[in-house]
Amino acid sequence: MRYFVSLVQNEWMKVNSKRQVPYYYAFITVISLLLAVVMRFFIFKDQPYSFISFTSDVHFVSSALTSIFIMVVSAQIITDEYKDGTIKQILIRPASRTMVLMSKLVNIFLILLVVYMVTLFIGLTLGAIFFNIIPADVKLMQIVSDMALSLPNVLFYALVAFTTAVLTHSLGLSITIPIILKWVLGSSIVFLSSKSWYKFLIFPNLDWKPYFTGDTLPFKGASFGYSITIYAIYMIVLLGISIVVFKKRDVQ
Amino acid sequence: MNDVVVELKNVTKKIKGKTIIDDLSFSVRRGEVYGFLGPNGAGKTTTIRMIVGLMSMTNGDIVIEGHNIRTNRAKAMANVGAIVENPELYKFMTGRKNLIHFARMSGKAIREERIQEIVKLVDLENALDKKVKNYSLGMRQRLGVAQALLHNPSILILDEPTNGLDPAGIRELRDYLRHLAKKENISILVSSHLLSEIELMCDRVLIIQNGKFIGERAMDPNADGAASVPKAIHFDVSEPDKALAALASTTWSASLGEGGALTVELLREDIPKVVEHLVQHGVAIYEVRTVAPTLEDTFLSMTKGGRIE
């Protein structure tokens, strides 16, 4: 277990040395700052506006970007090792190949959590500077639970990017495939909701919010337990493919 | 402590029905520099990749420090330090972070002092906090050696280590490797297609061709068994014809080579007797030396000119 933790530490060190993560924090800050300026000086010029509401807006604007960012990180964490040849350096150590993959996946999850925390921090800080510290319709806990409920969606497409990277070693493919799945297939598949096999697809089972808010269910007879089961099956199959292929393949 | 550090037993590798490595067996002893020689495409790199676990074996076993890599890979690999082709490093990190990275992966507790010690050894103290992308090739090679030795491995595996090094760098590396083997008792398995390199560096040499074992040879002429085999001894004498005549009455078989060089097939213990015999017959001797077949001769005769059939 200690060895696994040190592998995760390594992944963390590599990702943060590559600058992409710090750059993303800077990027979120700049976007939020622009948003704050526009809202303060143009939209809510003379009205009070809650800093909590602003945080919610920041989350709304950044969530799609974060989703793409995590896909890129998930793909690069594999493809960069092949591109630089460092994959050989990792695989000639005592760590098993499964352990190497798992340490990278845990690292992706940690990055996502930190990005969400940074987003909240930037939202609240800029909100407190530009807007009014007053209560809002939306509560801070709602934003946090909204982030938590987006995890299954973000992590699924991250795993798609990761698996594609293991299979193809191609950064381009590993980013395009999950993006097409998410925004082309994922958003148009709803037209097939009348089909009997619709409920077996991953797409209607990615959004677990209706089970907590009482919104319209994604399909007839949908339940939280059913969605979790379908989600788990898809995740385990993707993970299984990654591990089997990664273990079996000779490294040239 | 076992005397054999790495052992390959009947290792075979097939890729898409084609046999790349065919029933290869050899072993590397503790503290020796073991050369792995063969023409390009003979299967050197494939064999090394199987030893370090980058490629799977079709058949056979590889045992490192008593641990079979099929069943106990983690323990086997904890004893291995390797540079496969170029030393691949994380260019976007500093030398120090690279070493920390590989120290964490070693599975052993490596202290800060050990990192300091190894950095001093490879002379990178001043560059340690620079990013590796700013290193020269020689510095990267040295950092590569540092990461391979960080965890005190008992076997160091180097695949074509002199590729891309200048003559001074090659010499430095060679001296350093011999030092490691003798002083630190580390075994070194080094592959190369450069005969002269192997000849200068190694204690024993394995020659393979088309994935098959061709021969194994000790490089030290005084190695065990050498004294009991007759060798060609070269005598540089004043009057070769007179010397030949003097030896004609004895049991030693002498011959005159081109340029009048006198060559006698002799056991080591008989050399002084021949010298005495010649002196008694009034022949002046300027030089006596063993004509060892060079590795090149052996290599070419064993691999039939180094062609890949």
Short mmCIF file of all heavy atoms in Angstrom, two decimals, chain B residues 132-167:
data_model
loop_
_atom_site.label_atom_id
_atom_site.label_comp_id
_atom_site.label_asym_id
_atom_site.label_seq_id
_atom_site.Cartn_x
_atom_site.Cartn_y
_atom_site.Cartn_z
N VAL B 132 15.94 18.58 -17.04
CA VAL B 132 16.71 17.65 -17.85
C VAL B 132 16.73 18.07 -19.32
O VAL B 132 17.69 17.77 -20.04
CB VAL B 132 16.17 16.21 -17.67
CG1 VAL B 132 16.81 15.24 -18.64
CG2 VAL B 132 16.40 15.75 -16.23
N LYS B 133 15.73 18.82 -19.77
CA LYS B 133 15.74 19.25 -21.17
C LYS B 133 16.92 20.17 -21.48
O LYS B 133 17.31 20.33 -22.63
CB LYS B 133 14.41 19.90 -21.56
CG LYS B 133 14.09 21.17 -20.84
CD LYS B 133 12.75 21.73 -21.34
CE LYS B 133 12.29 22.84 -20.43
NZ LYS B 133 10.83 23.03 -20.48
N ASN B 134 17.51 20.75 -20.43
CA ASN B 134 18.69 21.60 -20.63
C ASN B 134 20.02 20.85 -20.51
O ASN B 134 21.08 21.45 -20.57
CB ASN B 134 18.68 22.75 -19.62
CG ASN B 134 17.46 23.62 -19.78
OD1 ASN B 134 17.01 23.86 -20.90
ND2 ASN B 134 16.87 24.05 -18.68
N TYR B 135 19.95 19.54 -20.30
CA TYR B 135 21.17 18.73 -20.14
C TYR B 135 21.79 18.40 -21.50
O TYR B 135 21.07 18.25 -22.49
CB TYR B 135 20.84 17.40 -19.45
CG TYR B 135 20.68 17.46 -17.94
CD1 TYR B 135 20.32 18.63 -17.30
CD2 TYR B 135 20.87 16.33 -17.16
CE1 TYR B 135 20.16 18.68 -15.92
CE2 TYR B 135 20.72 16.36 -15.78
CZ TYR B 135 20.36 17.53 -15.18
OH TYR B 135 20.20 17.57 -13.83
N SER B 136 23.11 18.24 -21.51
CA SER B 136 23.77 17.71 -22.71
C SER B 136 23.58 16.20 -22.74
O SER B 136 23.16 15.61 -21.75
CB SER B 136 25.26 18.03 -22.66
OG SER B 136 25.86 17.29 -21.62
N LEU B 137 23.91 15.60 -23.89
CA LEU B 137 23.74 14.15 -24.02
C LEU B 137 24.55 13.40 -22.97
O LEU B 137 24.08 12.44 -22.35
CB LEU B 137 24.13 13.70 -25.43
CG LEU B 137 23.90 12.22 -25.71
CD1 LEU B 137 22.43 11.87 -25.62
CD2 LEU B 137 24.44 11.84 -27.08
N GLY B 138 25.78 13.88 -22.75
CA GLY B 138 26.63 13.22 -21.76
C GLY B 138 26.04 13.30 -20.36
O GLY B 138 26.09 12.33 -19.59
N MET B 139 25.45 14.44 -20.03
CA MET B 139 24.82 14.60 -18.72
C MET B 139 23.62 13.68 -18.57
O MET B 139 23.38 13.10 -17.52
CB MET B 139 24.40 16.05 -18.51
CG MET B 139 25.57 16.99 -18.24
SD MET B 139 25.13 18.69 -18.62
CE MET B 139 24.36 19.19 -17.11
N ARG B 140 22.87 13.54 -19.68
CA ARG B 140 21.71 12.64 -19.62
C ARG B 140 22.15 11.20 -19.43
O ARG B 140 21.52 10.45 -18.68
CB ARG B 140 20.89 12.75 -20.91
CG ARG B 140 20.09 14.02 -20.96
CD ARG B 140 19.26 14.14 -22.22
NE ARG B 140 18.87 15.54 -22.37
CZ ARG B 140 18.11 15.99 -23.33
NH1 ARG B 140 17.66 15.18 -24.25
NH2 ARG B 140 17.80 17.27 -23.39
N GLN B 141 23.25 10.84 -20.11
CA GLN B 141 23.80 9.49 -19.92
C GLN B 141 24.17 9.27 -18.46
O GLN B 141 23.87 8.23 -17.89
CB GLN B 141 25.07 9.31 -20.79
CG GLN B 141 24.79 9.03 -22.25
CD GLN B 141 24.51 7.56 -22.51
OE1 GLN B 141 24.47 6.76 -21.59
NE2 GLN B 141 24.30 7.22 -23.77
N ARG B 142 24.79 10.27 -17.86
CA ARG B 142 25.23 10.11 -16.47
C ARG B 142 24.04 10.04 -15.52
O ARG B 142 24.04 9.26 -14.57
CB ARG B 142 26.18 11.26 -16.08
CG ARG B 142 27.44 11.30 -16.95
CD ARG B 142 28.62 11.87 -16.22
NE ARG B 142 28.46 13.25 -15.82
CZ ARG B 142 28.73 14.30 -16.59
NH1 ARG B 142 29.18 14.12 -17.82
NH2 ARG B 142 28.57 15.52 -16.14
N LEU B 143 23.02 10.85 -15.81
CA LEU B 143 21.81 10.77 -14.99
C LEU B 143 21.15 9.40 -15.18
O LEU B 143 20.60 8.82 -14.24
CB LEU B 143 20.83 11.89 -15.35
CG LEU B 143 19.62 12.05 -14.43
CD1 LEU B 143 20.05 12.36 -13.00
CD2 LEU B 143 18.67 13.12 -14.94
N GLY B 144 21.24 8.88 -16.41
CA GLY B 144 20.72 7.54 -16.70
C GLY B 144 21.44 6.49 -15.87
O GLY B 144 20.81 5.60 -15.29
N VAL B 145 22.76 6.60 -15.78
CA VAL B 145 23.53 5.67 -14.96
C VAL B 145 23.12 5.83 -13.49
O VAL B 145 22.93 4.85 -12.76
CB VAL B 145 25.05 5.91 -15.14
CG1 VAL B 145 25.85 5.09 -14.14
CG2 VAL B 145 25.48 5.56 -16.56
N ALA B 146 22.95 7.07 -13.06
CA ALA B 146 22.58 7.35 -11.67
C ALA B 146 21.25 6.68 -11.31
O ALA B 146 21.13 6.02 -10.28
CB ALA B 146 22.50 8.85 -11.42
N GLN B 147 20.24 6.83 -12.19
CA GLN B 147 18.94 6.23 -11.87
C GLN B 147 19.00 4.71 -11.87
O GLN B 147 18.28 4.05 -11.14
CB GLN B 147 17.81 6.76 -12.77
CG GLN B 147 17.93 6.48 -14.26
CD GLN B 147 17.48 5.08 -14.66
OE1 GLN B 147 16.73 4.44 -13.95
NE2 GLN B 147 17.98 4.62 -15.80
N ALA B 148 19.92 4.16 -12.70
CA ALA B 148 20.02 2.70 -12.75
C ALA B 148 20.72 2.13 -11.51
O ALA B 148 20.50 0.99 -11.15
CB ALA B 148 20.75 2.27 -14.02
N LEU B 149 21.57 2.95 -10.88
CA LEU B 149 22.36 2.44 -9.74
C LEU B 149 21.82 2.87 -8.38
O LEU B 149 22.29 2.41 -7.35
CB LEU B 149 23.81 2.94 -9.87
CG LEU B 149 24.59 2.35 -11.01
CD1 LEU B 149 25.93 3.07 -11.14
CD2 LEU B 149 24.81 0.86 -10.81
N LEU B 150 20.83 3.74 -8.43
CA LEU B 150 20.31 4.38 -7.21
C LEU B 150 19.96 3.39 -6.11
O LEU B 150 20.27 3.60 -4.94
CB LEU B 150 19.05 5.15 -7.63
CG LEU B 150 18.50 6.22 -6.73
CD1 LEU B 150 19.55 7.26 -6.45
CD2 LEU B 150 17.30 6.87 -7.41
N HIS B 151 19.34 2.28 -6.48
CA HIS B 151 18.82 1.33 -5.49
C HIS B 151 19.79 0.17 -5.24
O HIS B 151 19.37 -0.90 -4.80
CB HIS B 151 17.46 0.82 -5.93
CG HIS B 151 17.46 0.27 -7.33
ND1 HIS B 151 17.71 1.06 -8.44
CD2 HIS B 151 17.26 -0.97 -7.82
CE1 HIS B 151 17.65 0.31 -9.52
NE2 HIS B 151 17.39 -0.92 -9.18
N ASN B 152 21.09 0.38 -5.50
CA ASN B 152 22.11 -0.65 -5.30
C ASN B 152 21.73 -1.99 -5.91
O ASN B 152 21.62 -3.00 -5.20
CB ASN B 152 22.38 -0.86 -3.80
CG ASN B 152 23.03 0.34 -3.18
OD1 ASN B 152 24.07 0.80 -3.66
ND2 ASN B 152 22.42 0.87 -2.14
N PRO B 153 21.52 -2.04 -7.21
CA PRO B 153 21.13 -3.30 -7.83
C PRO B 153 22.31 -4.27 -7.85
O PRO B 153 23.46 -3.85 -7.76
CB PRO B 153 20.76 -2.90 -9.26
CG PRO B 153 21.60 -1.71 -9.54
CD PRO B 153 21.71 -0.97 -8.23
N SER B 154 22.03 -5.57 -7.95
CA SER B 154 23.14 -6.52 -8.07
C SER B 154 23.45 -6.80 -9.53
O SER B 154 24.50 -7.35 -9.84
CB SER B 154 22.85 -7.81 -7.31
OG SER B 154 21.57 -8.27 -7.62
N ILE B 155 22.54 -6.43 -10.42
CA ILE B 155 22.84 -6.56 -11.85
C ILE B 155 22.46 -5.28 -12.58
O ILE B 155 21.39 -4.72 -12.35
CB ILE B 155 22.10 -7.78 -12.48
CG1 ILE B 155 22.24 -7.82 -14.01
CG2 ILE B 155 20.61 -7.77 -12.16
CD1 ILE B 155 23.35 -8.63 -14.51
N LEU B 156 23.38 -4.83 -13.40
CA LEU B 156 23.14 -3.65 -14.21
C LEU B 156 23.04 -4.11 -15.67
O LEU B 156 23.93 -4.80 -16.16
CB LEU B 156 24.30 -2.68 -14.03
CG LEU B 156 24.25 -1.35 -14.78
CD1 LEU B 156 23.04 -0.53 -14.34
CD2 LEU B 156 25.52 -0.56 -14.51
N ILE B 157 21.94 -3.76 -16.32
CA ILE B 157 21.74 -4.21 -17.70
C ILE B 157 21.80 -3.01 -18.63
O ILE B 157 21.06 -2.04 -18.44
CB ILE B 157 20.39 -4.93 -17.83
CG1 ILE B 157 20.41 -6.20 -16.97
CG2 ILE B 157 20.09 -5.29 -19.28
CD1 ILE B 157 19.10 -6.91 -16.86
N LEU B 158 22.68 -3.09 -19.60
CA LEU B 158 22.86 -1.95 -20.50
C LEU B 158 22.71 -2.42 -21.94
O LEU B 158 23.39 -3.34 -22.38
CB LEU B 158 24.26 -1.35 -20.32
CG LEU B 158 24.61 -0.91 -18.90
CD1 LEU B 158 26.09 -0.65 -18.79
CD2 LEU B 158 23.83 0.34 -18.54
N ASP B 159 21.80 -1.79 -22.67
CA ASP B 159 21.55 -2.15 -24.05
C ASP B 159 22.25 -1.13 -24.95
O ASP B 159 21.86 0.02 -24.98
CB ASP B 159 20.04 -2.17 -24.29
CG ASP B 159 19.69 -2.72 -25.66
OD1 ASP B 159 20.54 -3.39 -26.27
OD2 ASP B 159 18.56 -2.47 -26.11
N GLU B 160 23.28 -1.56 -25.65
CA GLU B 160 24.04 -0.68 -26.54
C GLU B 160 24.38 0.65 -25.87
O GLU B 160 24.00 1.71 -26.35
CB GLU B 160 23.23 -0.40 -27.82
CG GLU B 160 22.79 -1.63 -28.58
CD GLU B 160 23.84 -2.14 -29.58
OE1 GLU B 160 24.90 -1.49 -29.70
OE2 GLU B 160 23.61 -3.18 -30.20
N PRO B 161 25.11 0.60 -24.75
CA PRO B 161 25.29 1.83 -23.96
C PRO B 161 26.15 2.89 -24.63
O PRO B 161 26.07 4.06 -24.28
CB PRO B 161 25.97 1.33 -22.69
CG PRO B 161 26.68 0.10 -23.10
CD PRO B 161 25.85 -0.52 -24.18
N THR B 162 26.97 2.49 -25.59
CA THR B 162 27.88 3.48 -26.17
C THR B 162 27.27 4.20 -27.36
O THR B 162 27.89 5.10 -27.92
CB THR B 162 29.20 2.81 -26.60
OG1 THR B 162 28.90 1.72 -27.46
CG2 THR B 162 29.95 2.30 -25.39
N ASN B 163 26.05 3.81 -27.74
CA ASN B 163 25.38 4.52 -28.84
C ASN B 163 25.29 6.01 -28.54
O ASN B 163 24.81 6.41 -27.50
CB ASN B 163 23.95 3.98 -29.03
CG ASN B 163 23.92 2.82 -29.99
OD1 ASN B 163 24.96 2.39 -30.50
ND2 ASN B 163 22.73 2.31 -30.25
N GLY B 164 25.76 6.81 -29.45
CA GLY B 164 25.60 8.25 -29.30
C GLY B 164 26.63 8.90 -28.38
O GLY B 164 26.53 10.08 -28.09
N LEU B 165 27.62 8.12 -27.92
CA LEU B 165 28.66 8.73 -27.08
C LEU B 165 29.90 9.01 -27.92
O LEU B 165 30.22 8.26 -28.84
CB LEU B 165 29.03 7.78 -25.94
CG LEU B 165 28.10 7.71 -24.74
CD1 LEU B 165 28.72 6.83 -23.67
CD2 LEU B 165 27.84 9.09 -24.17
N ASP B 166 30.62 10.05 -27.57
CA ASP B 166 31.89 10.32 -28.26
C ASP B 166 32.98 9.43 -27.64
O ASP B 166 32.78 8.82 -26.60
CB ASP B 166 32.24 11.81 -28.17
CG ASP B 166 32.30 12.30 -26.74
OD1 ASP B 166 32.53 11.47 -25.85
OD2 ASP B 166 32.10 13.49 -26.52
N PRO B 167 34.15 9.31 -28.31
CA PRO B 167 35.19 8.39 -27.81
C PRO B 167 35.56 8.62 -26.35
O PRO B 167 35.75 7.65 -25.61
CB PRO B 167 36.37 8.69 -28.73
CG PRO B 167 35.76 9.17 -29.99
CD PRO B 167 34.53 9.94 -29.59
#
